[in-house]
């Protein structure tokens, strides 16, 4: 059975009331969920950076190991050439071996220079790792603190949120999908999350622009969905302004002071 306009308005009004309560609970949480998510991302970033540092240090250590191995091989060749020099037959062979020895000695110097440069790089990397680890530990403490705070708030509101979520599901079943989609779109476009509002003091309860009297009459009739011409919010009903009666002023009796004065003199 299709719902009447009045029933649709009541269902939208109820849904808005539920969502507003959920919004209030989210406000209590404040920026904590976002802060927790940001800290988790930041910590993950630090962990990735530390891993990259470790990989980089290991690669440099491998280079150092390769350079040390190169030095050992050059030293072996130098020793071998030294033995060969003892049995050379002429100066040309001696000079050739001497040149090979010099080349190996040059290789050793190059490897030693690489080792020193690599060790300096490792020192810088280690400093970077220590700084990153310190930041990582600080952020982990911050995250733990924020998580505890958020968990406490969620524990306090858990039952209420669960009930509101159930009520919301029931309310949604009473509203057609097209209206729900429009409602959700409106809520996403307005800052305060109010997509369904009453008319208060002759103005839209969302954007506070004046609602003409004829439209107010149509809203009261509840025979069709009326939206605010300015913000597009659904206007459910008109809240009449209560005019308080001002207390009547007491009438003051003005005495004839002249006559009273004469009477006293007599």
């Amino acid at each position: 059975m299709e719902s009447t306009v009045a029933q649709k308005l009541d269902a939208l009004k109820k849904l808005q009331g539920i969502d507003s309560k959920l919004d209030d609970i989210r406000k209590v949480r404040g920026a904590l969920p976002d802060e927790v998510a940001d800290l988790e991302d930041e910590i993950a970033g630090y962990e990735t950076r530390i891993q990259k540092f470790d990989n980089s240090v290991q690669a440099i250590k491998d280079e150092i190991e390769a350079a040390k191995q190169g030095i050992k091989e050059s030293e072996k060749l130098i020793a071998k050439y030294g033995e060969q020099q003892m049995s050379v037959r002429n100066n040309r062979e001696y000079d050739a071996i001497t040149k090979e020895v010099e080349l190996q000695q040059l290789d050793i110097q190059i490897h030693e220079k690489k080792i020193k440069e690599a060790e300096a790089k490792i020192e810088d990397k280690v400093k970077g790792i220590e700084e990153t680890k310190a930041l990582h530990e600080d952020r982990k403490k911050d995250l733990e603190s924020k998580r505890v705070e958020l968990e406490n708030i969620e524990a306090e509101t858990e039952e209420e949120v669960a009930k509101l979520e159930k009520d919301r599901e029931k309310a949604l079943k009473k509203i057609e999908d097209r209206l729900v989609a429009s409602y959700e779109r409106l809520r996403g476009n307005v800052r305060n999350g109010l997509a369904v509002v009453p008319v208060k003091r002759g103005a839209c309860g969302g954007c506070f622009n004046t609602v003409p009297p004829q439209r107010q009459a149509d809203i009261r009739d509840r025979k069709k969905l009326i939206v605010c011409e300015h913000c597009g919010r659904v206007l459910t009903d008109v809240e009449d302004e209560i005019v308080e009666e001002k207390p009547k002023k007491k009438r003051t009796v003005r005495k004839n002071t002249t006559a009273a004065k004469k009477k006293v003199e007599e």
Side-chain angles (χ1 to χ4, degrees):
M1 185 176 177
E2 191 176 343
S3 301
T4 63
V5 172
Q7 288 171 332
K8 289 176 183 177
L9 287 168
D10 287 337
L12 282 169
K13 188 176 177 181
K14 186 173 182 180
L15 180 61
Q16 180 65 76
I18 293 166
D19 282 337
S20 292
K21 286 178 183 177
L22 286 168
D23 288 343
D24 289 340
I25 291 169
R26 292 187 190 102
K27 283 177 188 174
V28 172
R29 296 175 186 173
L32 277 174
D34 290 337
E35 287 174 8
V36 167
D38 289 344
L39 282 168
E40 286 173 344
D41 290 342
E42 191 176 350
I43 286 166
Y46 285 136
E47 287 170 353
T48 301
R49 193 184 301 177
I50 290 166
Q51 186 60 52
K52 284 182 178 178
F53 273 132
D54 288 339
N55 293 340
S56 180
V57 167
Q58 187 56 51
I60 295 168
K61 284 180 177 178
D62 291 342
E63 288 175 12
I64 290 171
E65 193 58 38
K68 286 180 177 178
Q69 190 62 36
I71 288 171
K72 286 179 182 179
E73 289 173 3
S74 292
E75 286 173 344
K76 284 179 183 178
L77 286 171
I78 288 170
K80 178 184 174 183
Y81 293 142
E83 290 175 2
Q84 288 177 355
Q85 276 181 331
M86 301 298 291
S87 58
V88 293
R89 289 171 294 180
N90 52 54
N91 287 338
R92 196 169 71 179
E93 287 182 3
Y94 182 87
D95 290 341
I97 291 171
T98 301
K99 191 172 281 187
E100 288 295 331
V101 169
E102 287 173 353
L103 285 172
Q104 293 305 318
Q105 286 172 340
L106 183 61
D107 278 350
I108 288 171
Q109 288 175 7
I110 292 168
H111 287 315
E112 286 175 343
K113 186 181 177 183
K114 284 183 178 178
I115 288 169
K116 284 180 181 178
E117 289 173 351
E119 286 174 343
K121 283 182 184 177
I122 287 176
E123 194 174 333
D124 288 338
K125 295 285 182 186
V126 167
K127 283 181 183 177
I129 290 171
E130 287 172 355
E131 289 172 3
T132 305
K133 282 183 176 178
L135 287 170
H136 180 257
E137 287 304 312
D138 286 343
R139 290 297 179 270
K140 278 180 74 176
K141 288 175 184 176
D142 291 342
L143 176 60
E144 187 59 31
S145 173
K146 296 286 184 186
R147 272 181 178 163
V148 168
E149 191 178 349
L150 181 59
E151 284 168 6
N152 288 339
I153 293 171
E154 286 177 343
E156 289 172 4
T157 58
E158 186 178 3
E159 288 183 13
E160 187 181 357
V161 169
K163 184 181 180 301
L164 287 169
E165 292 288 359
K166 283 183 181 178
D167 291 343
R168 191 176 194 277
E169 285 176 16
K170 289 177 184 177
L172 284 171
K173 289 176 183 177
K174 296 179 181 178
I175 309 169
E176 58 194 86
D177 293 342
R178 178 182 59 82
L179 269 178
V180 172
S182 298
Y183 168 81
E184 296 290 1
R185 186 170 60 254
L186 269 170
R187 263 180 60 79
N189 291 336
V190 294
R191 189 177 296 176
N192 56 11
L194 295 176
V196 180
V197 295
V199 175
K200 293 182 179 181
R201 296 180 181 179
C204 169
C207 67
F208 310 112
N209 280 294
T210 302
V211 178
Q214 182 55 50
R215 289 185 75 79
Q216 290 187 41
D218 291 339
I219 294 163
R220 281 193 175 94
D221 286 344
R222 309 191 95 202
K223 290 180 180 177
K224 58 182 177 180
L225 286 171
I226 307 292
V227 299
C228 175
E229 295 175 344
H230 301 280
C231 66
R233 289 177 171 91
V234 177
L235 301 171
T236 54
D237 41 37
V238 179
E239 292 185 6
D240 294 318
E241 189 176 351
I242 299 170
V243 180
E244 292 183 5
E245 289 187 9
K246 293 181 180 179
K248 292 179 180 179
K249 291 183 179 179
K250 291 181 180 180
R251 291 181 65 188
T252 55
V253 180
R254 186 180 273 179
K255 293 181 180 178
N256 193 330
T257 53
T258 308
K261 192 175 180 184
K262 275 185 178 181
K263 198 171 183 180
V264 171
E265 288 174 351
E266 288 173 359

